[in-house]
Amino acid sequence: MRTALLACVPVGTLVDTESAAAWTLRTGQTVTSVDLHVDGRLRADERTASTPLRALSLPLVSGAGVVGVMAVEWTGEMSRASRAAAEELALHVGLAVENARLTVRQLLFAEELAEKVAAATARMRELDQAKTEFLSVVSHELRTPLTALQGFSELLLRSTLPPERARRCLVYLHTEACTLGRIVGELLDLSRIEAGRPLELRPEAVDLDALMERNAELFAAEHREHRFRWTPTPPGSALQADPDALDRMLKNLLSNAVKYSPRGGEVCISASPASDRPGMIEMAVEDDGVGIPAEQLPRIFDKYVRVAHPETVATRGLGLGLSLVKALAEAHGGHVEVESLPGKGSKFRVLLPGVERHF
Ligand code: ADP
C-alpha cells in the first residue's frame, strides 16, 4: 500500500477546482473516493490505471468554521484505525490552527492596546506640560499688569503728585486695567471654546466707520511711536455682526500690529467690500513690522503659538489672540487671512459675510 498526505492547506489556497480538496473546502464535508481514476465527480490525472487510487479529503475545522483541508491519497485498503487516525489528525490540525489564530489575535490586541496606552500616556504628559506652561504664562501675564496697578495706585494714595504726574499715573492705571480686562476676556472666550460652547453673538447693523475711528484714536493715544491711518469705509460695506466681537477682533489685530513693530511705524486699518471675495466685507489691519516667516504662517492661528523673533522677545502674550480672532470670525460665518513678509510687515484680513449673504 502506498499512502501520501498530499496537502494540508488553509482556506483561500488555490487548488484544482475539481479535486476532492476543493470539494471539501466548498462544502465543509468529508469526501471519500474509492478510486480517483474512475470517480466521475472528480478529475483524475489518468483514468485507466490498473490499481485503484483511494482518496480522503477531510475539513480542518476550527471555531471560525472550515479553515482548511487535509487530503490523503493511497492505494490498497485503508484500515478503520488508519482512517480514524487521519480524522483525529485533521481534528488536531484544526484545533492547532484555531489556537494559533487566537494567539495571533491576542498578540495583535496586546500590541494595539500597548500602543494606545503609550499614545494616551504621552498625550496626557503633553497636556500636563502644556497646562503647567500655560498656567505659568497666564500667572506672569496677570501679575505684570497687577503689579503696575498696585504700584501706581499706591503712589497716588501715598503722595501728593503734581497734576501732570498724577495724570500720567492714571493713564498707566487705565492701560494696565484694560490689559487685565483683555486677558480675562480672552481666557473666558477660550474656556467657552474648550468646553465646546458656541461663542455668544448678538448680531446687529454695525457702524464700521465709528468702530475704526474709535480704535484708531484709542491706539494713537496710547502708542505715540506708531502712526495709525484709517481709511473711511466705502458704501456697500453694510455688516450685521456682534459689535463687541468686531471690537475685540480689531483690538487684537491692532495690539499685535503695535507689539510686532517694536521700532514704531505705520498701522493702516480699513473696512470695505472684499474685491476678491464677492459678498464679503473685509476688515484689514496692516503694519510694517517684523513680519512672519512663510513656514510659520499656517500655525499662527493655533492656540499658544508664538513666533520667536529677536526684536520681540520681550513682547508679552499668551499666543491666544489670533486663535480667538479666528474663532470669532468663524462664528460669524467668515474667516481670517494673513499675508506677511519678514522684515516688511503683515496684513491681516477678517472676512465676514455682507448683509446680502448673511448667516
Ligand atoms: P500673542 O500676541 O499673545 O503672542 P497671538 O495669537 O495674537 O498671540 O499671535 C500669535 C503669534 O503670531 C505672535 O506671538 C506673533 O509671533 C505672531 N504675530 C501676530 N500678529 C503679528 C503681526 N502683526 N506681525 C508679526 N507677527 C505677528
Side-chain angles (χ1 to χ4, degrees):
M1 175 174 137
R2 176 178 71 84
T3 307
L5 174 62
L6 290 177
C8 244
V9 295
V11 166
T13 310
L14 280 179
V15 291
D16 182 346
T17 51
E18 286 176 50
S19 66
W23 187 288
T24 299
L25 281 175
R26 264 197 311 274
T27 62
Q29 304 290 319
T30 298
V31 175
T32 313
S33 176
V34 289
D35 187 357
L36 269 183
H37 299 139
V38 293
D39 195 327
R41 298 172 303 166
L42 309 165
R43 183 170 33 221
D45 292 339
E46 38 176 335
R47 289 274 176 212
T48 54
S50 54
T51 319
L53 183 60
R54 324 283 187 201
L56 179 63
S57 176
L58 294 157
L60 303 177
V61 183
S62 83
V66 177
V67 292
V69 63
M70 188 177 98
V72 191
E73 285 179 8
W74 74 98
T75 54
E77 293 311 312
M78 182 186 255
S79 66
R80 288 170 78 112
S82 301
R83 183 181 166 117
E87 283 170 352
E88 186 85 351
L89 183 62
L91 195 71
H92 282 285
V93 173
L95 286 175
V97 169
E98 175 68 357
N99 282 344
R101 260 172 16 105
L102 285 177
T103 310
V104 168
R105 202 189 297 165
Q106 243 169 6
L107 280 175
L108 287 177
F109 181 69
E111 263 172 34
E112 208 176 298
L113 199 66
E115 270 169 28
K116 281 191 180 150
V117 169
T121 313
R123 180 89 192 108
M124 291 290 286
R125 213 172 285 137
E126 266 173 33
L127 284 176
D128 210 40
Q129 193 169 342
K131 195 182 79 189
T132 311
E133 270 168 33
F134 179 66
L135 283 178
S136 105
V137 175
V138 169
S139 327
H140 178 258
E141 286 294 302
L142 291 174
R143 200 176 318 115
T144 315
L146 264 180
T147 311
L149 283 176
Q150 277 164 352
F152 289 123
S153 53
E154 257 171 46
L155 191 66
L156 281 172
L157 284 171
R158 286 202 185 159
S159 14
T160 318
L161 298 176
E164 182 46 33
R165 238 188 113 197
R167 207 194 112 68
R168 271 217 307 280
C169 278
L170 282 173
V171 171
Y172 295 143
L173 280 176
H174 177 72
T175 311
E176 295 302 334
C178 288
T179 306
L180 267 183
R182 185 181 48 74
I183 294 173
V184 172
E186 284 184 0
L187 290 174
L188 284 176
D189 281 346
L190 179 74
S191 74
R192 191 169 273 136
I193 295 169
E194 302 269 273
R197 278 180 295 156
L199 294 168
E200 276 170 30
L201 299 180
R202 292 194 183 81
E204 59 181 67
V206 181
D207 184 344
L208 283 169
D209 265 345
L211 175 80
M212 299 277 147
E213 190 173 15
R214 187 175 71 240
N215 276 290
E217 276 179 14
L218 193 80
F219 274 76
E222 283 178 9
H223 305 280
R224 300 282 179 196
E225 63 290 6
H226 291 83
R227 288 179 312 284
F228 291 85
R229 235 166 22 96
W230 156 64
T231 313
T233 309
S237 312
L239 195 61
Q240 278 276 336
D242 182 318
D244 180 50
L246 279 193
D247 191 61
R248 267 145 69 212
M249 287 194 264
L250 187 57
K251 281 198 167 61
N252 248 306
L253 295 179
L254 278 169
S255 90
N256 278 351
V258 171
K259 282 199 293 186
Y260 302 108
S261 356
R263 299 182 193 185
E266 192 165 74
V267 179
C268 300
I269 55 173
S270 61
S272 57
S275 54
D276 54 347
R277 298 281 198 297
M280 303 292 268
I281 306 296
E282 76 171 48
M283 188 165 75
V285 176
E286 190 169 2
D287 63 63
D288 49 13
V290 296
I292 305 162
E295 67 276 11
Q296 300 287 355
L297 286 177
R299 302 174 57 233
I300 57 165
F301 295 102
D302 292 346
K303 273 180 293 188
Y304 314 125
V305 169
R306 306 202 70 219
V307 183
H309 190 282
E311 285 187 52
T312 58
V313 272
T315 309
R316 282 154 51 182
L318 294 174
L320 290 179
L322 287 181
S323 68
L324 291 174
V325 171
K326 178 172 178 264
L328 286 169
E330 287 173 359
H332 281 85
H335 64 278
V336 200
E337 289 180 5
V338 58
E339 289 164 27
S340 188
L341 273 180
K344 295 269 180 240
S346 311
K347 180 176 182 181
F348 285 86
R349 297 165 78 205
V350 176
L351 290 134
L352 303 174
V355 275
E356 312 86 59
R357 4 170 340 181
H358 203 264
F359 53 95

